[in-house]
């Protein structure tokens, strides 16, 4: 809503413009009336709408035409004053004033007009019969008021209607000629209906109507009031009420009725609560609330945001197959002014066999948007009505700004959930295949992807020590000389080369030596297309010797040319390295023969987990049943038990090691 209102009074000389202003201010008719009143400002706390109001007078005797034109351009609403006992002043409304004002204002944003019939105390008849045809002819005329500056009749009402014409204009909502709401208003109210229809059944039930009422007007509707509203719709519209709930047609009919009965402030209250401005566009303040992001910090969705997005998914997944069909996805985005997700999204996240975005893929795409472009995420959440449904001040409440990565490195731990891996390599080295394999697609499925639908990102979840994390892979274009800071900024780096191409590794070696040799970012070299015959690389040192020289893990062989979905082990290891870049205890091999692998497999085997659980249960049961829990002997026995368990574990490890 506007922060202030500027009202301009124009009309023929001697019709009482100045008297109206002075009567309003002093609450009595002035004995002496100057040629023109000075501009006055009415404070917000004494106006019905709580908005400061500036009232400007015009005098032909004191002001030039140029000054008049300037005032017309600055005015939010113009009152054309005529004298009810002077036919010439009424004729001048259409012959002079309305054409003059329209010439000086833009056709698409006409200033609302109020026709003011002053000096009603001098006549016994009304001028409405003469004025009504004028009102029907000009849509920019909001209303007509007859008043008297002498006996103060309708003076306050006049300026209230002028205020209302600015703050709650009819023009953007309703077409008097066609006697129906304008398409832009229908579009906005349809979005509001869809957001408020929490179960997406096309009906606002009593619970949803009450939530809507409380959201917009801060008070719930009584049961009888709800029934009265539905009865009004039933009487006037055949399909306005269904299953005792309000349909979209019924919802639109109600607002049409409000506008026709002069209660358009009700509709404006609803529109503004859902973020609309006077032009029925969502405001920048609503779509892009202030969010401060310090350097070296990332943005993620918080728990409440994921719960909200889950409810949106469930609301539109009508067949309950945990995936969104094209029609379901289209229905979800009907509250958007455009389709935000293109075909490339289907190659960025996990999909089912039909190529539809799964629940996991849906959340992954939102996670990706939040990480890469948080302003766009805020915009999208605004379209979905996040702040309204979640009853938050803005959708900025959905975002968590992580602490600086520098602090994570100092503390050797992180609270982040999303980790970025930049994938670099020469052309045709297998980078795209590496990304798509993360989404569970083997080479056969990848070959069906059209070039124009290709994505340079892939995101999905991995599990590190039982914690679910998002790994975001970004394929960096192989332009060695022009790698930007964004191409280099990440949590872990993958350098991919084709083991069957003798020239492929050279790119990886040069990129590493130029950009990452002194970096604290973990690096992994991937030998892609391992199903093909490995050839000797023409670089001065072999990939294995290069890794040894620079204290990197040995090259990780990888292929996506498999019968089933490619293995995801490498992605878990990449996420682990991203989470713990400071840790030296990292094993990148898959041999299951080295000490690290044996220890890891042993400690996570079903047998050991079962033995540990039984031992713990037995010790706990035995000691909890004894009365001397607080005695020092209890802790002695517990210590002995723990020692026995440790010895047994080590013995099992040695036995397995011998066997191998």
């Amino acid at each position: 809503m506007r922060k202030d209102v500027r009202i301009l009074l124009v009309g023929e000389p001697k019709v009482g413009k100045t008297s109206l202003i002075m009567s309003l201010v002093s609450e009595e008719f002035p004995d002496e009336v100057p040629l023109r009143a000075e501009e006055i400002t009415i404070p917000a706390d004494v106006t019905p709408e709580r908005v400061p109001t500036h009232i400007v007078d015009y005098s032909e005797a004191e002001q030039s035409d140029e000054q008049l034109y300037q005032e017309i351009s600055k005015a939010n609403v113009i009152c054309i004053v005529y004298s009810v006992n002077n036919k010439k002043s009424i004729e001048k409304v259409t012959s002079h004033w309305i054409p003059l004002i329209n010439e000086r204002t833009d056709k698409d944003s006409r200033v609302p007009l109020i026709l003011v019939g002053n000096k009603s105390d001098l006549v016994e008849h009304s001028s409405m019969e003469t004025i009504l045809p004028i009102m029907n002819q000009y849509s920019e005329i909001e209303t007509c008021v007859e008043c008297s500056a002498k006996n103060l009749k309708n003076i306050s009402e006049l300026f209230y209607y002028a205020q209302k014409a600015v703050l709650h204009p009819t023009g953007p909502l309703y077409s008097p000629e066609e006697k129906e709401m304008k398409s832009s208003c229908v579009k906005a109210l349809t979005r509001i209906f869809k957001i408020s229809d929490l179960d997406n059944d096309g009906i606002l039930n009593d619970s949803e109507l009450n939530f809507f009422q409380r959201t917009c007007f801060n008070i719930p509707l009584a049961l009888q009031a709800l029934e009265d509203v539905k009865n009004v719709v039933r009487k006037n519209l055949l399909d306005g009420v269904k299953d005792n709930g309000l349909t979209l047609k019924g919802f639109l009919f109600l607002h049409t009725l409000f506008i026709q009965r002069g209660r358009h402030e009700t509709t404006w209250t609803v529109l503004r609560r859902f973020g609309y401005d006077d032009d029925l566009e969502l405001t920048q303040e609503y779509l892009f609330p202030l969010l401060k992001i310090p350097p070296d910090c990332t943005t993620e969705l918080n728990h409440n945001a994921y719960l909200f997005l889950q409810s949106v998914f469930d609301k539109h997944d009508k067949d309950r197959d945990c995936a969104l069909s094209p029609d379901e996805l289209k229905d979800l985005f009907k509250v958007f002014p455009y389709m935000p997700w293109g075909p490339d999204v289907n190659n960025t996240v996990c999909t089912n066999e039909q190529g539809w975005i799964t629940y996991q893929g849906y959340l992954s795409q939102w996670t990706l948007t939040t990480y890469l472009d948080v302003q766009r995420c805020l915009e999208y959440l605004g379209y979905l009505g996040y702040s309204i449904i979640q009853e938050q001040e803005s959708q900025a409440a959905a975002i968590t700004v992580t602490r600086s990565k520098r602090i994570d490195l100092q503390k050797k731990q992180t609270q982040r959930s999303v980790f970025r891996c930049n994938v670099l390599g020469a052309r045709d080295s297998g980078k795209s295949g590496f990304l798509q394999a993360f989404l569970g697609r083997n080479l056969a499925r990848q070959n069906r992807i059209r070039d124009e639908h290709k994505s340079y990102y892939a995101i999905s979840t991995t599990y590190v020590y039982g914690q679910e994390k998002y790994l975001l892979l970004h394929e960096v274009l192989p332009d060695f000389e022009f790698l930007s800071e964004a191409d280099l900024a990440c949590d872990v780096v993958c350098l991919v080369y084709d083991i069957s191409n003798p020239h492929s590794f050279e790119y990886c070696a040069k990129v590493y030596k130029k950009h990452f040799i002194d970096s604290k970012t973990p690096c992994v070299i991937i030998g892609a297309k391992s199903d093909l015959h490995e050839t000797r690389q023409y670089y001065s040192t072999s990939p294995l010797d290069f890794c040894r020289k620079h204290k990197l893990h040995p090259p990780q062989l990888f292929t996506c040319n498999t019968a089933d979905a490619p293995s995801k082990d490498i992605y878990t290891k990449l996420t682990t390295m991203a989470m713990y870049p400071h840790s030296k205890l990292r094993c990148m091999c898959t041999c299951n023969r080295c000490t690290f692998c044996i220890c890891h497999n042993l400690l996570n085997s079903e047998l050991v987990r079962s033995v540990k659980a039984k031992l713990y249960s037995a010790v706990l049961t035995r000691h909890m049943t004894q009365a001397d829990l607080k005695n020092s002997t209890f802790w002695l026995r517990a210590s002995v038990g723990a020692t026995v368990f440790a010895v047994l574990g080590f013995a099992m490890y040695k036995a397995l090691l011998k066997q191998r």
Side-chain angles (χ1 to χ4, degrees), residues 395-414:
Q395 52 270 30
I399 308 299
T400 295
V401 179
T402 65
R403 71 184 180 189
S404 169
K405 188 177 176 182
R406 178 178 51 80
I407 297 175
D408 282 352
L409 289 171
Q410 287 174 356
K411 293 184 176 290
K412 297 187 177 181
Q413 60 180 3
T414 182

Side-chain angles (χ1 to χ4, degrees), residues 51 58 70 79 86 99 119 199 241 255 346 397 420 469 646:
V51 175
Y58 164 71
Q70 287 178 3
C79 296
N86 185 338
K119 304 186 181 182
D199 55 9
V241 177
H255 284 282
N346 295 58
R420 176 169 177 159
K469 302 294 180 183

Side-chain angles (χ1 to χ4, degrees), residues 179-192:
K179 292 183 170 54
E180 61 182 29
M181 279 195 297
K182 291 185 175 178
S183 58
S184 56
C185 183
V186 171
K187 184 179 177 182
L189 289 172
T190 300
R191 171 181 168 266
I192 291 169

Side-chain angles (χ1 to χ4, degrees), residues 69-209:
Y69 301 154
Q70 287 178 3
E71 289 297 346
I72 289 173
S73 66
K74 290 191 289 184
N76 302 129
V77 57
I78 298 175
C79 296
I80 304 176
V81 185
Y82 64 90
S83 176
V84 294
N85 65 342
N86 185 338
K87 287 187 177 179
K88 186 179 179 183
S89 69
I90 297 175
E91 290 170 1
K92 283 282 189 177
V93 170
T94 53
S95 64
H96 175 69
W97 289 107
I98 293 179
L100 173 69
I101 292 166
N102 286 343
E103 281 175 15
R104 297 290 161 180
T105 54
D106 186 32
K107 187 177 180 181
D108 296 327
S109 56
R110 289 275 164 85
V111 178
L113 305 177
I114 307 287
L115 300 186
V116 182
N118 193 22
K119 304 186 181 182
S120 63
D121 59 292
L122 299 180
V123 295
E124 295 182 358
H125 64 274
S126 172
S127 63
M128 284 301 173
E129 287 186 11
T130 310
I131 296 301
L132 280 174
I134 299 174
M135 291 181 66
N136 292 330
Q137 183 181 354
Y138 296 96
S139 60
E140 56 267 36
I141 299 175
E142 288 284 327
T143 189
C144 176
V145 185
E146 287 193 346
C147 58
S148 169
K150 189 170 186 178
N151 60 21
L152 308 182
K153 177 188 174 184
N154 288 341
I155 301 296
S156 297
E157 287 79 359
L158 156 64
F159 291 101
Y160 168 69
Y161 288 133
Q163 241 192 8
K164 189 176 172 181
V166 177
L167 303 177
H168 311 298
T170 309
L173 307 181
Y174 189 75
S175 172
E177 297 89 354
E178 299 174 10
K179 292 183 170 54
E180 61 182 29
M181 279 195 297
K182 291 185 175 178
S183 58
S184 56
C185 183
V186 171
K187 184 179 177 182
L189 289 172
T190 300
R191 171 181 168 266
I192 291 169
F193 179 90
K194 284 191 69 63
I195 289 172
S196 305
D197 182 14
L198 300 177
D199 55 9
N200 200 32
D201 63 351
I203 298 167
L204 294 184
N205 57 40
D206 286 358
S207 174
E208 290 165 341
L209 279 170

Side-chain angles (χ1 to χ4, degrees), residues 60 83 98 156 165 181 275 318 362 378 385 463 469 580 616 623:
E60 186 178 304
S83 176
I98 293 179
S156 297
M181 279 195 297
K318 293 183 178 179
Y362 163 84
L378 292 172
Y463 286 86
K469 302 294 180 183
Y580 305 105
Y616 180 77
H623 289 91

Side-chain angles (χ1 to χ4, degrees), residues 558-622:
F558 179 84
T559 181
C560 56
N561 190 9
T562 55
D564 300 317
S567 170
K568 289 194 174 183
D569 288 346
I570 183 64
Y571 305 106
T572 303
K573 292 168 182 176
L574 287 171
T575 312
T576 307
M577 292 181 74
M579 285 180 67
Y580 305 105
H582 54 275
S583 175
K584 295 180 180 179
L585 186 61
R586 290 195 297 263
C587 178
M588 292 298 296
C589 74
T590 54
C591 65
N592 290 323
R593 289 191 299 274
C594 69
T595 304
F596 187 94
C597 283
I598 292 171
C599 288
H600 178 79
N601 293 339
L602 174 67
L603 293 174
N604 287 279
S605 68
E606 288 295 330
L607 175 63
V608 171
R609 279 204 295 267
S610 174
V611 170
K612 282 162 65 178
K614 287 178 181 178
L615 276 170
Y616 180 77
S617 177
V619 170
L620 191 64
T621 303
R622 178 184 172 191

Side-chain angles (χ1 to χ4, degrees), residues 209-272:
L209 279 170
N210 249 318
F211 180 79
F212 170 81
Q213 173 75 13
R214 196 174 68 252
T215 297
C216 296
F217 305 102
N218 295 321
I219 50 170
L221 271 175
L223 284 175
Q224 188 55 50
L226 268 175
E227 286 305 312
D228 291 344
V229 167
K230 286 184 276 191
N231 286 333
V232 169
V233 177
R234 282 192 189 99
K235 288 177 184 177
N236 292 277
L237 204 63
L238 186 64
D239 50 356
V241 177
K242 182 182 176 184
D243 298 334
N244 202 36
L246 204 61
T247 64
L248 174 60
K249 285 186 178 180
F251 183 75
L252 295 175
F253 168 78
L254 268 182
H255 284 282
T256 305
L257 202 61
F258 290 144
I259 296 165
Q260 289 173 342
R261 292 183 178 179
R263 290 177 54 195
H264 35 282
E265 65 270 17
T266 303
T267 301
W268 274 115
T269 301
V270 171
L271 289 165
R272 289 192 173 114

